[in-house]
Amino acid sequence: MAMNMQSALKRPALLAIAALGVVAACGNTPGRIDYKRELIAAFGKKSTETPNVDVAAALKVTPKPLSLVVREQDKTTAFILEAERNGPYRTFITPTRQTLTLRQGVVTATRGLGNDLMSSNVEDTLRLLRTRQAGQTRRVMRYLTGDEQTIAFSFDCNMALGDSQNISVGEVSAQIRIMTEECAGDGLKFTNTYMVDHTGEVLSSRQWINPTMGSAGIQVLRRSPV
């Protein structure tokens, strides 16, 4: 079953993956604000291909919540700007309008990558992050295949507590607890690492996106207001 799922995800839609971005929850799409122009003004047209990024310059050009994403596979980087909210979900967008949806800092969906994460059930993960407790989690992640079919991956995970430390990046300074989630299911294994503040918000992380792209690092540079 796992091999069939992986094969399905490797169909032509994968060719659309260029630079990491992220997603509108519940089918929402960003409004008509010219986010592309705003981002390009700060970072340049090739910001998603630039290994060295100027965080200070990025923060100066916009007052909006901002994060930096690094795709682990090839170290591609992209600034992502908050474009829309839907309850607890925050949709962030790249200059090329790829999107990523986060809840409490956890990736719940993507658009524009190819083989997108259409939706996910991560309530167990969110609960343990909020309480900063170790425990068992179960997650379901639904992906779009190259022939426009949706398939679901189910994972059983173990959340462990790590050390506490202070972080200071961009406009974010906080004491965090490191939490590690090891997951396995449908023939796949991955590890997510979260740096969580006292409210359970993820401020820095390494999260698995899909079987073909692997993991990405996400660093909050300016928080979203509550």
Side-chain angles (χ1 to χ4, degrees):
M1 180 177 180
M3 288 302 295
N4 290 337
M5 297 173 94
Q6 286 180 294
S7 297
L9 286 179
K10 290 179 181 178
R11 291 173 184 170
L14 284 175
L15 298 176
I17 298 178
L20 184 67
V22 265
V23 91
C26 304
N28 289 339
T29 55
R32 295 185 178 179
I33 299 172
D34 195 346
Y35 295 106
K36 181 176 181 179
R37 184 173 65 180
E38 186 170 358
L39 282 163
I40 288 176
F43 320 127
K45 293 183 179 180
K46 294 186 178 180
S47 64
T48 55
E49 301 173 359
T50 304
N52 298 314
V53 293
D54 191 336
V55 170
L59 290 167
K60 285 181 180 178
V61 80
T62 176
K64 296 182 177 69
L66 191 69
S67 293
L68 179 67
V69 177
V70 181
R71 188 169 63 182
E72 188 173 276
Q73 191 177 69
D74 58 5
K75 306 307 178 186
T76 297
T77 63
F79 286 99
I80 54 174
L81 186 72
E82 186 177 298
E84 190 172 67
R85 297 187 182 193
N86 181 11
Y89 295 93
R90 304 287 187 264
T91 298
F92 288 78
I93 190 168
T94 72
T96 53
R97 289 190 173 273
Q98 294 165 309
T99 63
L100 174 91
T101 294
L102 306 177
R103 179 171 181 176
Q104 205 177 308
V106 175
V107 177
T108 61
T110 67
R111 296 294 185 274
L113 300 181
N115 298 136
D116 277 310
L117 175 60
M118 303 306 292
S119 65
S120 55
N121 295 350
V122 292
E123 292 299 326
D124 289 348
T125 298
L126 297 174
R127 173 177 52 81
L128 292 182
L129 293 176
R130 278 194 299 270
T131 56
R132 301 211 293 185
Q133 293 181 343
Q136 305 300 311
T137 69
R138 182 171 176 79
R139 61 166 58 207
V140 178
M141 304 173 78
R142 303 175 187 88
Y143 291 95
L144 189 67
T145 67
D147 54 2
E148 301 298 312
Q149 300 297 312
T150 300
I151 56 177
F153 288 29
S154 296
F155 301 98
D156 292 310
C157 311
N158 181 66
M159 184 79 78
L161 290 177
D163 295 335
S164 294
Q165 61 182 247
N166 294 317
I167 63 169
S168 182
V169 183
E171 294 182 1
V172 175
S173 294
Q175 185 177 62
I176 57 87
R177 172 64 66 90
I178 298 173
M179 300 183 69
T180 303
E181 183 182 36
E182 295 186 354
C183 299
D186 285 325
L188 299 167
K189 292 182 179 181
F190 62 88
T191 300
N192 292 334
T193 303
Y194 310 98
M195 294 187 176
V196 186
D197 72 5
H198 70 284
T199 70
E201 188 74 16
V202 178
L203 300 180
S204 185
S205 63
R206 174 186 180 271
Q207 299 186 49
W208 189 77
I209 306 300
N210 66 39
T212 52
M213 196 171 85
S215 299
I218 304 173
Q219 176 64 58
V220 178
L221 303 175
R222 179 185 289 128
R223 296 183 192 234
S224 300
V226 178

